Amino acid sequence: MILLWLLGSAIVGVPILALWGDGRKGRWLFIAINFLVLSCSVLAAKDFLQQGPLAAMGEELRMDAFSLILVLLNSVVGMMTAWFSAGYWQQEVQHHHFGKGRQRLYHAMFQSFLATMLLALLSNNLGILWVALEGATLSTVLLVSLLLSCESLEAAWKYFILCGVGLAMALFGTVLLYFAAQPVLGTGAQALLWSALHHHAASLNGTVMALAFVFILVGYGTKVGLAPLNSWLPDAHAAGPSTVSAVLSGLLLNVALYAILRYKSLADAALGPAFASRLLLVFGLLSLLLAAFSMLRQHDVKRLFAYSSAEHMGIICIAFGLGGPLAIFAGVLHMLGHSLAKTSVFFSVGRAIQESDSRELEDLHGILASRPVLGWSLLLSVLAILGMPPGSLFLSEFLIVVASVQHAWFITPLLLLGLGTAFAAILPRLLQMLYGAPNSPKVILSGKDLRPAFLQILAVMTLGIWIPVSLDGWMHSIVGILQ
Amino acid sequence: MHPAMDWFSLPSLLKFLAAWMLLLSFALLAQRRLLSLIHLLAWQGVTLAVITSLVAQLTDDRLLWLSAALTFALKGLLVPTLLHRILRRLQVRGDVEMSLNVTSTQLIGIVLVIFAFALAAPLSGALPAVTHGMLGIALAAFLLAFLMMITRRKAISEVVGFLAMDNALFFAATSATLGMPLIVELGIALDALIAFVILGVFFFHIRESFESLDLHWLERLREDQ
Amino acid sequence: MNWGAWGVQTIQVLLALAIAPLFAAWLQMLRSLLQNRRPAGLGQAYRDLRRLFHKESLLPEGSSWLFRFSPYVLFGTKVMALTLVPLVAVNLPLARAADVIALVGLLAVARVFQVLAAMDTGTAFADLGAHREMLVSALAEPALLTAFFIASLLAGSTSLSTIALHAQQGMFSLHPSMVFAATAFFLVLLIENARIPVDNPATHLELTMIHEAMLLEYSGRHLALLEWGAQVKLLLYVAMGIALFFPWEIADQANPVALLLACLAFVGKLFLAAPILALVETLLAKKRLFRVPEFAASAFLFGVIGLLTHFMLGA
């Protein structure tokens, strides 16, 4: 029941914001709706603690530990983004003179994006999962092109086409899965329910499952930002408003990976764990290295952090590819930490870009001197994303390296190379942004706008030191699901 | 019964039409003119509608008849007409730019077809009479459309390739699995509709933004960095 | 000696020889009507042939016996090919002499002689046409062979009679591989018979000619034989297509009723084939010469896909 409330409150927000999403009331409505969604997800978590996995609509919607963690993450980050967006969007509207229609479009599409991701996480039906992810992609296409400049239109087009191709491949994989499931579960919707499939996974045809998983990996992998089909990622993440980049990096990539992992659990049962894990490992490693080396050449700050998202997704894929309780735990922790930290990075970077009206690195310098609060938020969030202790990313990366030494020692040097290159690419640029001659007089920026960023950084730091018992329990049950 | 009447048994008709799908996919690879691409796409849509109605006849599933009618209307008529109008409005010139010449593309296409057939050969479906070989053909058509997308440089041909992939997918869903569950099909149709609306909005924006700039940006992809 | 069968054989060849100009004229008439021109009438081809036979045949200076010999060779090979293809009846005596591969070989012999004779004249345009002809045919012949192979694989024999019999029993007309074979065959038909989109048979621009260029130096009865031969070739290809893909009512017994029915069916199918050909020719434009090898390669690759469908999918 709570699941329906959760989903319903997210979905009903879309028409509300489409009608009244402009001006001050729009920004407040956006925060209010996401606060409602957050409360529902907390209530759902409470129900989960008492009852275990929740279901609704006759098993079409289902929440187990994995969905729960990601739903909580999505609602928290959604809330924080809505909060940050209030100040950020007000500034953008003034700067670009967006009309009421554009404002309503922004809020409505944003809400639709968050709602479809929620549907994807809660759906037990793998076909609906696809529909929801396609919906999420479509919601963001118009957001990426919001500014209607040449660059953003081309970025949105590339995003539309490449992700469309990826999702077409994923749909083919879904059809193949249905094909494999029909002899076992019959025709009709129950053949696409993950819970039922997981139960009978061992009796699914191995060849078809292998083929299906490859299509799913390539298809949803495009949305995760895995090489080689991730050329849309830097363009799309850089071209839209920073709030959009934040949720694209922080949330959508996670949800797409969640979809892959659901299929992986089925493929592992049908084929044995080696096949899917090896593929994930290879793609993850490839993405990590390619993204890390591309970062060295970047001079646009948002593109830099977009590549960083691809790099971190590569690391998470390596974690899930390695398998075993330690690596899976680390992978989930990394998903959480990366979301929180990356969104704070994009918030801070977004403010910085608004201040200096340029995305080029050479135009951003001396921030710590001229805007101390912004400078601190930038410093802390980027340090968190780089994997410095006490952030949770340090913990998860450390655990992944340990797991790789245990299971597949030959990739450890490559893993370390990737991590090191990323570090080497970002840190100098960070320092260049923070120090140097300030290009505007010092203003103690009211910390109001950046409170969400600071809160998220605090969460990341906390997770690095202490993980709440219930969270720990859930993460261990995820290991059970994915093994 | 006269030997010619053997033609009209449904499974063999389905196989015949499946071959047409593959033929049209392969022919898409060989085209140089954008207009012929759109015509072939229309024919593919019509073939798909006929296939869906045959499968509906075979399985006595009412909803598939509706699906067939929708396919004919959307993929056979509406989409090609829209593309035609877009071509005319944007005054895109007739030829397609390619990264590889036609013959090499076709040879790679053959390799993909072999690959697809090899993958799908050991699989047989729930109804062997109908689905044997269909999955292989669907996979081959899908991969050929994908090849078409990545070896073309103009945006309209990308859209055509994408729609051809979509057709191959639909063919796989109808013939190999005899249709997907209703709710999923509805969801997919809804997404397709929204995608088209967004595409329309897109092209509207492009016309608005680029009319005076004369950029013909749809004819080249952005250079990286 | 089965006089009945030999009789049928002879009648078949004579029928084909007589109908070929009529078919060509009917095709030309349809094209004219589609292009809003006044048609020349069904007897035009006969009138042209009669005119040419009455005229004096001139020989270019410096040409050798090859030049004089070739038209007869060409015509002869076409007549021989007619004996192989089941037009109205199968299992005729001479049909057992050769199979489809030999048929393709016969057509190749004809081509070689035509090309050599064209080069023999020493003029530039004939030479040009000869080179182009070899280029295009080098790619079209494998396509034709793949189409035949698919049909043979399905029928279990390379004899055209057996293939036609099998096809008649409805056993493989709807196989997916036959779809590809049909496409490949149709494309080769367009290429080999100098139809648009490969070559415009009515053109007078030498630089765009492929087949016509090789006939430029001929006159009189030689030209008549060559023209007639080209018409017979078109009929031959259409008949091959009918035998492979639409073979019903081809008689497999010698009784007169079946034969009469077969003749009528044959004429009827020709009557229906011409509009399709005319439509294709009117709707398409002639391709640039450099695109023609691509076209031929496409035909070949269609045939290859057909073979793949047969072997790998068992269809």
Side-chain angles (χ1 to χ4, degrees):
Chain A
M1 195 54 210
I2 187 68
L3 291 181
L4 287 174
W5 273 106
L6 177 57
L7 200 54
S9 49
I11 292 179
V12 92
V14 181
I16 291 179
L17 284 168
L19 293 170
W20 298 297
D22 55 285
R24 198 150 171 272
K25 65 178 187 301
R27 300 195 294 271
W28 278 108
L29 269 176
F30 193 37
I31 298 180
I33 291 171
N34 279 294
F35 185 71
L36 182 61
V37 169
L38 179 60
S39 340
C40 288
S41 58
V42 169
L43 285 173
K46 227 164 52 92
D47 277 352
F48 184 84
L49 277 174
Q50 290 166 349
Q51 297 171 352
L54 305 169
M57 280 176 73
E59 292 287 316
E60 290 284 331
L61 297 176
R62 190 169 172 275
M63 178 144 86
D64 57 12
F66 199 12
S67 352
L68 175 65
I69 286 192
L70 287 178
V71 163
L72 276 175
L73 180 69
N74 265 37
S75 2
V76 166
V77 174
M79 175 68 217
M80 294 293 158
T81 313
W83 187 0
F84 175 73
S85 161
Y88 176 81
W89 185 242
Q90 186 180 16
Q91 192 76 332
E92 285 287 292
V93 167
Q94 273 176 352
H95 186 69
H96 292 279
H97 307 291
F98 287 141
K100 284 202 177 158
R102 203 81 76 85
Q103 295 179 42
R104 278 185 231 145
L105 182 75
Y106 170 77
H107 282 123
M109 286 288 119
F110 214 113
Q111 185 57 33
S112 142
F113 177 52
L114 293 171
T116 41
M117 279 199 290
L118 212 54
L119 177 63
L121 288 171
L122 289 175
S123 162
N124 195 16
N125 181 326
L126 291 171
I128 298 291
L129 173 67
W130 184 88
V131 172
L133 271 175
E134 169 86 23
T137 313
L138 293 175
S139 314
T140 39
V141 165
L142 286 178
L143 282 176
V144 168
S145 69
L146 201 67
L147 291 168
L148 290 183
S149 62
C150 304
E151 185 204 358
S152 53
L153 278 175
E154 270 190 272
W157 176 257
K158 212 167 171 183
Y159 178 46
F160 189 44
I161 290 286
L162 275 176
C163 283
V165 170
L167 283 171
M169 297 231 168
L171 186 57
F172 200 83
T174 315
V175 170
L176 283 173
L177 177 70
Y178 188 54
F179 183 69
Q182 271 184 333
V184 178
L185 289 168
T187 54
Q190 72 273 17
L192 276 178
L193 293 178
W194 182 83
S195 46
L197 284 166
H198 192 66
H199 201 58
H200 291 102
S203 46
L204 294 171
N205 181 325
T207 327
V208 182
M209 283 308 291
L211 197 59
F213 184 73
V214 170
F215 271 103
I216 292 286
L217 184 59
V218 174
Y220 285 133
T222 316
K223 286 216 65 69
V224 173
L226 294 177
L229 283 173
N230 61 357
S231 57
W232 62 271
L233 202 139
D235 295 331
H237 285 212
S242 299
T243 41
V244 174
S245 315
V247 285
L248 275 178
S249 283
L251 299 181
L252 188 59
L253 302 184
N254 273 353
V255 175
L257 188 58
Y258 163 84
I260 296 181
L261 290 172
R262 286 284 184 205
Y263 278 91
K264 177 170 184 288
S265 61
L266 295 175
D268 282 348
L271 291 166
F275 178 75
S277 305
R278 272 198 212 123
L279 276 180
L280 261 183
L281 199 60
V282 165
F283 274 100
L285 204 55
L286 199 63
S287 314
L288 169 64
L289 291 172
L290 283 177
F293 282 103
S294 307
M295 275 199 274
L296 291 171
R297 295 189 298 156
Q298 296 306 317
H299 49 84
D300 174 331
V301 63
K302 277 171 82 170
R303 283 181 80 99
L304 178 70
F305 286 112
Y307 274 112
S308 163
S309 299
E311 174 227 340
H312 280 280
M313 281 298 138
I315 296 173
I316 300 175
C317 282
I318 292 177
F320 285 111
L322 287 169
L326 190 64
I328 295 181
F329 180 85
V332 177
L333 187 61
H334 202 95
M335 276 168 104
L336 293 176
H338 172 251
S339 277
L340 293 168
K342 189 49 73 65
T343 36
S344 333
V345 166
F346 271 111
F347 291 165
S348 322
V349 164
R351 277 306 277 150
I353 292 174
Q354 266 187 338
E355 291 289 315
S356 56
D357 204 20
S358 156
R359 285 181 1 216
E360 298 292 316
L361 276 165
E362 53 200 18
D363 293 331
L364 295 167
H365 45 79
I367 294 181
L368 205 53
S370 59
R371 304 271 184 280
V373 174
L374 176 62
W376 272 102
S377 118
L378 196 61
L379 176 64
L380 289 175
S381 49
V382 176
L383 283 182
I385 204 79
L386 281 177
M388 297 289 254
S392 76
L393 280 120
F394 171 71
L395 180 60
S396 44
E397 282 174 11
F398 183 73
L399 288 175
I400 294 174
V401 172
V402 167
S404 76
V405 168
Q406 280 178 353
H407 295 274
W409 53 268
F410 41 86
I411 67 156
T412 317
L414 292 171
L415 183 57
L416 290 172
L417 176 67
L419 289 171
T421 318
F423 193 91
I426 296 183
L427 191 65
R429 289 178 172 84
L430 172 69
L431 294 175
Q432 182 192 340
M433 277 197 287
L434 291 174
Y435 299 107
N439 51 4
S440 53
K442 178 167 174 172
V443 170
I444 306 283
L445 190 68
S446 61
K448 234 181 12 173
D449 285 326
L450 285 165
R451 269 179 301 186
F454 281 114
L455 279 174
Q456 285 183 188
I457 297 169
L458 187 63
V460 171
M461 303 289 179
T462 322
L463 276 177
I465 314 173
W466 168 72
I467 297 180
V469 174
S470 42
L471 188 65
D472 194 45
W474 294 333
M475 287 166 77
H476 278 109
S477 45
I478 293 179
V479 174
I481 297 171
L482 291 179
Q483 278 283 61
Chain B
M1 197 166 80
H2 193 276
M5 286 304 171
D6 191 28
W7 265 41
F8 298 107
S9 77
L10 283 175
S12 49
L13 261 181
L14 271 173
K15 279 196 222 168
F16 177 70
L17 288 171
W20 262 116
M21 283 291 295
L22 187 57
L23 189 85
L24 288 170
S25 276
F26 196 71
L28 274 174
L29 268 184
Q31 291 310 309
R32 281 176 177 275
R33 295 173 51 228
L34 287 173
L35 271 178
S36 7
L37 282 181
I38 296 178
H39 291 155
L40 281 176
L41 198 67
W43 277 112
Q44 239 190 3
V46 171
T47 315
L48 199 56
V50 177
I51 291 177
T52 316
S53 43
L54 283 178
V55 174
Q57 175 83 332
L58 197 66
T59 58
D60 274 330
D61 188 353
R62 295 280 171 74
L63 294 159
L64 275 179
W65 281 110
L66 181 68
S67 189
L70 271 176
T71 311
F72 180 71
L74 282 173
K75 296 195 187 180
L77 295 176
L78 187 65
V79 169
T81 325
L82 282 176
L83 281 175
H84 207 99
R85 270 180 53 187
I86 289 172
L87 253 193
R88 264 196 324 213
R89 282 241 191 101
L90 292 175
Q91 287 171 344
V92 183
R93 291 288 147 245
D95 247 24
V96 176
E97 260 176 56
M98 298 183 194
S99 344
L100 285 175
N101 64 15
V102 171
T103 316
S104 312
T105 324
Q106 284 185 313
L107 282 173
I108 298 179
I110 295 269
V111 171
L112 284 178
V113 169
I114 297 177
F115 179 64
F117 284 176
L119 273 180
L123 307 174
S124 61
L127 278 178
V130 177
T131 59
H132 182 63
M134 295 295 206
L135 200 61
I137 292 183
L139 188 56
F142 186 81
L143 289 176
L144 284 177
F146 182 60
L147 179 67
M148 199 210 128
M149 269 195 79
I150 56 182
T151 53
R152 295 286 183 272
R153 287 223 190 96
K154 282 200 182 160
I156 296 279
S157 43
E158 275 188 340
V159 174
V160 169
F162 184 62
L163 291 169
M165 270 175 102
D166 199 37
N167 285 349
L169 261 177
F170 204 80
F171 172 59
T174 9
S175 65
T177 58
L178 301 174
M180 300 269 278
L182 177 64
I183 186 132
V184 176
E185 288 224 16
L186 281 180
I188 295 175
L190 184 69
D191 269 339
L193 191 66
I194 297 176
F196 252 78
V197 168
I198 290 184
L199 199 67
V201 170
F202 235 101
F203 282 125
F204 173 72
H205 279 317
I206 291 161
R207 241 182 5 126
E208 293 279 297
S209 308
F210 291 96
E211 210 154 34
S212 56
L213 292 174
D214 193 26
L215 256 182
H216 295 297
W217 76 281
L218 272 181
E219 300 181 3
R220 53 179 183 79
L221 286 177
R222 191 166 86 127
E223 297 307 303
D224 207 19
Q225 287 157 297
Chain C
M1 267 269 206
N2 190 348
W3 294 109
W6 279 102
V8 172
Q9 176 90 76
T10 329
I11 292 176
Q12 179 174 284
V13 172
L14 291 175
L15 178 70
L17 284 177
I19 284 190
L22 185 63
F23 182 66
W26 171 228
L27 183 61
Q28 185 59 30
M29 194 165 136
L30 285 169
R31 279 177 60 188
S32 317
L33 287 172
L34 280 170
Q35 290 164 10
N36 251 338
R37 289 183 278 128
R38 249 193 331 191
L42 285 173
Q44 185 58 34
Y46 292 115
R47 290 194 283 267
D48 279 334
L49 283 178
R50 202 177 58 177
R51 171 178 57 94
L52 284 171
F53 270 120
H54 282 309
K55 286 199 166 181
E56 185 190 354
S57 180
L58 292 174
L59 303 172
E61 206 175 294
S63 65
S64 66
W65 60 271
L66 204 54
F67 188 79
R68 281 171 290 136
F69 193 49
S70 289
Y72 300 103
V73 169
L74 257 65
F75 195 72
T77 50
K78 303 281 168 39
V79 170
M80 269 179 72
L82 274 178
T83 63
L84 294 177
V85 178
L87 301 177
V88 296
V90 289
N91 286 329
L92 293 173
L94 281 178
R96 289 194 282 269
D99 58 0
V100 282
I101 302 180
L103 179 60
V104 175
L106 262 182
L107 294 170
V109 167
R111 190 184 313 126
V112 165
F113 269 94
Q114 189 169 26
V115 164
L116 284 177
M119 291 171 74
D120 187 51
T121 60
T123 58
F125 287 127
D127 206 35
L128 198 62
H131 282 268
R132 289 173 177 178
E133 167 74 12
M134 286 317 277
L135 169 68
V136 170
S137 305
L139 294 165
E141 203 171 298
L144 187 61
L145 279 173
T146 52
F148 279 143
F149 282 158
I150 293 171
S152 323
L153 282 169
L154 285 169
S157 151
T158 53
S159 153
L160 205 51
S161 299
T162 324
I163 295 175
L165 269 176
H166 265 266
Q168 209 175 27
Q169 282 152 26
M171 279 195 211
F172 58 68
S173 296
L174 280 182
H175 280 222
S177 32
M178 283 305 268
V179 170
F180 290 102
T183 318
F185 185 80
F186 186 70
L187 292 177
V188 171
L189 192 153
L190 292 175
I191 295 173
E192 285 288 338
N193 293 291
R195 301 282 124 200
I196 295 180
V198 174
D199 182 20
N200 186 354
T203 186
H204 57 278
L205 302 166
E206 291 92 347
L207 285 174
T208 64
M209 289 179 185
I210 300 181
H211 282 88
E212 285 292 303
M214 294 188 285
L215 307 180
L216 277 176
E217 300 297 328
Y218 281 102
S219 55
R221 63 177 183 280
H222 294 142
L223 186 57
L225 280 177
L226 284 173
E227 290 275 340
W228 200 359
Q231 288 157 355
V232 169
K233 188 174 175 188
L234 180 59
L235 186 78
L236 193 69
Y237 269 87
V238 176
M240 280 198 284
I242 292 175
L244 285 176
F245 305 109
F246 307 102
W248 310 291
E249 299 308 334
I250 293 185
D252 51 357
Q253 306 133 332
N255 68 57
V257 177
L259 282 173
L260 192 61
L261 211 56
C263 287
L264 288 173
F266 180 61
V267 172
K269 287 182 214 167
L270 283 182
F271 184 77
L272 290 172
I276 300 175
L277 210 52
L279 202 64
V280 167
E281 283 202 72
T282 316
L283 288 176
L284 295 177
K286 185 172 120 58
K287 281 183 180 285
R288 294 172 49 191
L289 184 68
F290 301 111
R291 301 283 167 85
V292 175
E294 254 172 40
F295 190 68
S298 305
F300 175 59
L301 291 174
F302 276 124
V304 170
I305 293 191
L307 280 173
L308 283 174
T309 323
H310 176 79
F311 279 121
M312 299 184 83
L313 287 185

